[in-house]
């Protein structure tokens, strides 16, 4: 037990020591508290979420609809691709490989109608061709491909009438030079000649090879040189077997009714009569049996084939008489029992 001070000096000294201790504590405690507070981790404020802007080349619905009104299908002797309208005069751009060396061409619009083609110019070095067609449509405006940056999204377009090619295919620019746009895109052969569109739905390139597009500004010199040309009118090309149009599939009765599936040959000259073979299912004999040829894009010129002869339930032959109107027809079967089957199997009368 401590000794109790008995004298006044001792009491004063004790009080002085106590005061020093209290003063020291008053200084040290706030400092220690500050250091502890600094050492203690503070919660991180969550960042405010900001919406990511959509890519510039993602088309608005009205932009896509407007552009697709100018994108159609070009057919040559054996294959098909894409072409797009660039002015109100009916001028289209497409890839040179679909036009160069072809003996016949046709353009199929977005209603399934077919049109004769004039070749205006071909630049094999650039892989570019210009054709002219009398057809309704909306021209697609040109954009500036030099504004594109790597990894920018773009869109590859094809005719909305095609059933076996997507009308709108997303793509990404992987490399750009003054002569070529490299794309990461899932394209098909039918996409060749199609427009690559960027911001605002404007054309920035034309697909000339798989995954490769010609910058659209590279076409300007050729377009200026070809302006005013009348071009060369080409014969109508046959419709290739691998071309499928939406709404133009073979139709038949729901169960056991007849169908028309193919015709061979697919074209004949108006200068002479030609025997053709029609194939399908459900053909039956009878006095009503005949084949009628109905124009694809004209209200006049329909005719009946001559001497329709049933070979078996899936094959018959018929004569196309000389002198028929040069145009495209679809084949209508009037079966032996009077059943009528309309198809979209195409046949062409050439000059």
């Amino acid at each position: 037990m401590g000794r109790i001070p008995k004298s006044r000096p001792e009491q004063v000294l004790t009080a002085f020591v106590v005061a020093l201790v209290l003063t020291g504590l008053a200084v040290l405690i706030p400092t220690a508290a500050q250091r502890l507070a600094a050492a203690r981790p503070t919660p991180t404020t969550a960042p405010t979420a900001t919406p990511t802007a959509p890519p510039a080349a993602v088309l608005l619905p009205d932009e896509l609809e407007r552009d697709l009104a100018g994108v159609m299908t070009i057919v040559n002797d054996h294959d098909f691709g894409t072409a797009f309208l660039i002015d109100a005069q009916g001028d289209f751009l497409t890839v040179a490989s679909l036009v160069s060396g072809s003996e016949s061409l046709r353009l199929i619009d977005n209603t399934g109608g077919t049109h004769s083609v004039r070749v205006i110019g071909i630049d094999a070095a650039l892989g570019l061709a210009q054709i002219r067609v009398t057809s309704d449509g909306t021209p697609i405006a040109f954009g500036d491909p030099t504004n594109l940056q790597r990894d920018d999204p773009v869109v590859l377009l094809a005719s909305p009438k095609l059933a076996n090619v997507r009308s709108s295919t997303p793509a990404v620019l992987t490399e750009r030079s003054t002569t070529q746009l490299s794309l990461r895109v899932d394209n098909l052969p039918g996409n060749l000649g199609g427009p690559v569109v960027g911001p605002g739905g404007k054309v920035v390139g034309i697909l000339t090879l798989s995954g490769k597009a010609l910058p659209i500004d590279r076409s300007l010199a050729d377009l200026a040189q070809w302006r005013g040309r009348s071009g060369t009118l080409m014969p109508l090309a046959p419709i290739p077997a691998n071309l499928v149009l939406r709404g133009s599939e073979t139709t038949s009765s729901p169960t056991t009714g007849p169908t028309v599936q193919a015709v061979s040959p697919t074209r004949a000259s108006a200068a002479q009569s030609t025997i053709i073979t029609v194939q399908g299912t459900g053909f039956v004999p009878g006095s009503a049996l005949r084949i009628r040829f109905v124009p694809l894009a004209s209200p006049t010129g329909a005719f009946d084939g001559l001497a329709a002869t049933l070979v078996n339930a899936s094959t018959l032959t018929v004569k196309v008489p000389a002198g028929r109107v040069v145009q495209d027809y679809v084949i209508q079967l009037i079966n032996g029992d009077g059943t009528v089957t309309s198809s979209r199997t195409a046949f062409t009368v050439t000059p």
Side-chain angles (χ1 to χ4, degrees):
M1 188 171 180
R3 179 174 65 85
I4 300 176
K6 297 180 178 180
S7 64
R8 176 72 176 176
E10 288 181 343
Q11 292 177 350
V12 172
L13 179 61
T14 301
F16 179 72
V17 170
V18 170
L20 286 176
V21 171
L22 291 176
T23 301
L25 290 175
V27 173
L28 291 175
I29 288 174
T31 302
Q34 292 175 358
R35 290 181 178 178
L36 287 173
R40 188 182 304 123
T42 57
T44 303
T45 304
T48 302
T50 56
T52 302
V58 173
L59 301 184
L60 298 174
D62 60 332
E63 293 172 340
L64 178 60
E65 182 179 3
R66 180 196 66 208
D67 282 359
L68 289 178
V71 185
M72 303 184 192
T73 300
I74 182 171
V75 177
N76 62 17
D77 305 332
H78 58 279
D79 207 352
F80 69 94
T82 302
F84 60 96
L85 186 62
I86 61 171
D87 60 36
Q89 185 174 284
D91 291 322
F92 286 74
L93 287 181
T94 188
V95 65
S97 60
L98 288 169
V99 177
S100 181
S102 296
E103 297 181 356
S104 58
L105 295 169
R106 80 167 65 207
L107 189 90
I108 299 176
D109 65 28
N110 294 336
T111 70
T114 192
H115 304 269
S116 299
V117 172
R118 286 185 176 273
V119 176
I120 304 300
I122 300 173
D123 187 333
L126 291 184
L128 181 73
Q130 181 182 347
I131 62 173
R132 185 170 298 149
V133 174
T134 304
S135 171
D136 293 331
T138 303
I140 308 179
F142 287 5
D144 186 357
T146 63
N147 290 332
L148 294 175
Q149 303 295 324
R150 185 174 181 178
D151 295 328
D152 275 355
V154 290
V155 180
L156 174 63
L157 301 181
S159 169
K161 188 64 174 176
L162 288 180
N164 47 343
V165 178
R166 287 195 294 178
S167 61
S168 175
T169 303
V172 174
L173 182 72
T174 59
E175 187 176 348
R176 177 179 64 82
S177 69
T178 57
T179 59
Q180 185 172 268
L181 305 177
S182 297
L183 305 172
R184 184 168 67 250
V185 60
D186 183 18
N187 62 267
L188 298 171
N191 286 118
L192 288 181
V196 178
V197 298
K202 294 184 177 180
V203 180
V204 293
I206 173 173
L207 194 74
T208 53
L209 295 168
S210 179
K212 305 293 182 183
L214 177 74
I216 197 62
D217 56 0
R218 296 277 291 170
S219 71
L220 298 179
D222 280 337
L223 294 180
Q225 179 183 349
W226 297 335
R227 187 176 294 116
R229 290 186 180 182
S230 58
T232 302
L233 182 63
M234 303 294 291
L236 282 173
I239 297 178
N242 60 337
L243 174 63
V244 181
L245 301 179
R246 298 183 191 278
S248 300
E249 298 82 5
T250 299
T251 58
S252 66
S253 301
T255 54
T256 60
T259 67
V260 174
Q261 298 175 341
V263 58
S264 179
T266 58
R267 56 181 175 172
S269 171
Q272 61 185 26
S273 297
T274 304
I275 300 294
I276 67 171
T277 300
V278 178
Q279 293 182 312
T281 61
F283 299 167
V284 296
S287 59
L289 181 66
R290 73 180 193 273
I291 292 290
R292 185 163 179 79
F293 295 83
V294 180
L296 184 63
S298 171
T300 61
F303 66 93
D304 287 343
L306 303 178
T309 302
L310 187 66
V311 177
N312 53 48
S314 61
T315 305
L316 61 82
T317 61
V318 67
K319 180 186 289 186
V320 177
R324 300 300 93 187
V325 177
V326 175
Q327 59 181 331
D328 294 315
Y329 299 84
V330 291
I331 294 177
Q332 184 181 72
L333 166 70
I334 296 87
N335 216 5
D337 59 3
T339 303
V340 178
T341 299
S342 295
S343 77
R344 299 299 290 181
T345 302
F347 180 79
T348 303
V349 174
T350 62

